[in-house]
Amino acid sequence: MAERSAHPELARLLDPAQKNELAAVFEDHQLIDVLRRWPAEWSAEALLATVRPAAPRLYSIASSRKRVGEEVHLTVDELRYDAHGSAHQGAASSFLAALAEGAPLPVYIEANERFRVPADASRDIIMIGPGTGVAPFRGFVQERAETGAAGRNWLFFGARHFNTDFLYQTEWQDALRRKELHRLDLAFSRDQADKIYVQQRLRTRGRDLYDWLQNGAHLYVCGAIGMGKDVHAALLDVVREHGGLDEDGAREYLTQLHTEGRYGRDVY
Ligand SMILES: Cc1cc2nc3c(=O)[nH]c(=O)nc-3n(C[C@H](O)[C@H](O)[C@H](O)COP(=O)(O)OP(=O)(O)OC[C@H]3O[C@@H](n4cnc5c(N)ncnc54)[C@H](O)[C@@H]3O)c2cc1C
């Protein structure tokens, strides 16, 4: 880019002494932003030859074949944001959102053996999945309903607004009525002045949560990385408070759950 645009600012950024400034540019510039900011002559072929093929994107499967047959349901949050005065879209999520019905799409399956419904169907499960993190749990609840799993299903869901972001609201309500879902705790962060997140709900429900875990429940967390960390911290507080443990004891408790395959995390 620097060679072609012959732009002094770009050449300057490539000086090793400017590496922090260059990193800051990479932080919020896609290829298109660089091209717009430092225009240069490019043929399509020459430009393509400089870039790597697009990386695949992963999406959780949000359905069970036992309920939906030969289909795979996804829960996709279309990425849109403004930067440098222009609107940007997510390469994969916006592509998917714009896909015509019936259009073919190359996909592959990446199995996650550590993130499955318990082999022992009598175990309770606790699912923590705000935002699109709820996707696999829709599949879990369908699967457990279709197989007549005896264990109870408890879902923690969170999003910004009840009215616009409550994914699968009516399905969860139906599932509760049909006793396919046994407990549902919700946190809508922007519906009131104080932001409420799922981790606060975990703390309020700490007593029951701990009892479920003591009773052999499997715990699952899916969604944004930052949320996963906050949830982990809340879980440490819960087992410390209700298990009468110190900090090391609480950490050990969660490590043990993980080792037993009872604490699955899928964060991205
Ligand atoms: C195991 C796993 C499971 C997943 N499951 C799901 C799922 O079920 N549902 C789902 O929707 N997603 C899921 N994801 C995320 C998904 O794979 C994609 O990362 C997501 O859809 C965005 O891809 P994209 O191509 O649309 O965006 P991209 O084109 O890759 O754009 C993302 C980039 O945009 C830039 N960007 C984003 N916001 C801003 C901003 N405000 N300002 C400046 N720059 C910004 C950042 O540089 C970011 O790297 C999962 C990811 C993993 C790893």
Side-chain angles (χ1 to χ4, degrees):
M1 291 283 168
E3 265 168 33
R4 289 220 178 211
S5 72
H7 205 292
E9 191 187 356
L10 203 46
R12 189 183 60 80
L13 283 170
L14 292 178
D15 183 333
Q18 309 299 324
K19 73 173 196 303
N20 291 342
E21 213 183 314
L22 184 64
V25 170
F26 284 151
E27 194 60 25
D28 64 357
H29 281 61
Q30 302 277 0
L31 176 60
I32 186 73
D33 304 310
V34 177
L35 285 168
R36 285 193 180 127
R37 187 161 165 191
W38 296 286
E41 279 296 317
W42 283 98
S43 70
E45 291 74 24
L47 184 61
L48 267 185
T50 67
V51 295
R52 277 173 295 193
R57 307 295 196 274
L58 299 178
Y59 295 93
S60 309
I61 293 179
S63 53
S64 162
R65 254 164 98 173
K66 297 192 176 73
R67 175 153 303 168
V68 305
E70 293 301 308
E71 293 180 3
V72 166
H73 297 190
L74 303 182
T75 309
V76 178
D77 186 16
E78 188 185 356
L79 184 67
R80 291 160 183 265
Y81 59 95
D82 290 307
H84 316 296
S86 55
H88 291 249
Q89 297 188 319
S93 59
S94 297
F95 169 79
L96 280 176
L99 206 64
E101 200 176 326
L105 180 70
V107 298
Y108 64 92
I109 297 202
E110 188 167 284
N112 184 348
E113 300 300 335
R114 294 192 64 87
F115 207 86
R116 297 177 166 276
V117 292
D120 174 357
S122 70
R123 295 295 183 107
D124 294 334
I125 62 174
I126 301 164
M127 302 164 280
I128 305 164
T132 55
V134 80
F137 303 136
R138 180 173 178 267
F140 280 22
V141 170
Q142 289 185 354
E143 177 83 10
R144 303 247 296 176
E146 292 300 318
T147 54
R152 293 168 299 172
N153 305 327
W154 185 356
L155 175 66
F156 286 85
F157 175 74
R160 287 189 173 183
H161 300 289
F162 175 89
N163 279 336
T164 49
D165 308 325
F166 190 174
L167 300 175
Y168 307 115
Q169 176 185 0
T170 56
E171 288 191 21
W172 299 130
Q173 285 162 341
D174 285 347
L176 280 170
R177 227 181 346 264
R178 291 198 301 260
K179 307 259 185 306
E180 294 176 355
L181 182 65
H182 303 86
R183 289 187 73 160
L184 176 62
D185 277 279
L186 303 166
F188 293 98
S189 60
R190 305 288 170 89
D191 282 345
Q192 61 286 308
D194 295 336
K195 293 187 181 160
I196 300 172
Y197 297 105
V198 280
Q199 54 272 27
Q200 274 138 288
R201 294 287 183 247
L202 297 175
R203 289 195 172 90
T204 355
R205 299 283 184 243
R207 179 74 253 169
D208 287 354
L209 196 69
Y210 182 73
D211 288 345
W212 279 49
L213 290 175
Q214 284 297 90
N215 194 36
H218 287 227
L219 182 65
Y220 303 89
V221 183
C222 183
I225 289 179
M227 175 280 304
K229 287 187 184 143
D230 293 341
V231 161
H232 188 80
L235 291 170
L236 284 172
D237 288 347
V238 165
V239 299
R240 210 175 46 203
E241 184 181 343
H242 299 283
L245 301 169
D246 61 12
E247 257 170 55
D248 285 344
R251 259 196 299 274
E252 176 55 32
Y253 187 98
L254 292 186
T255 305
Q256 183 62 27
L257 276 189
H258 180 78
T259 312
E260 290 170 18
R262 287 171 53 208
Y263 180 15
R265 284 151 59 91
D266 200 12
V267 294
Y268 46 86

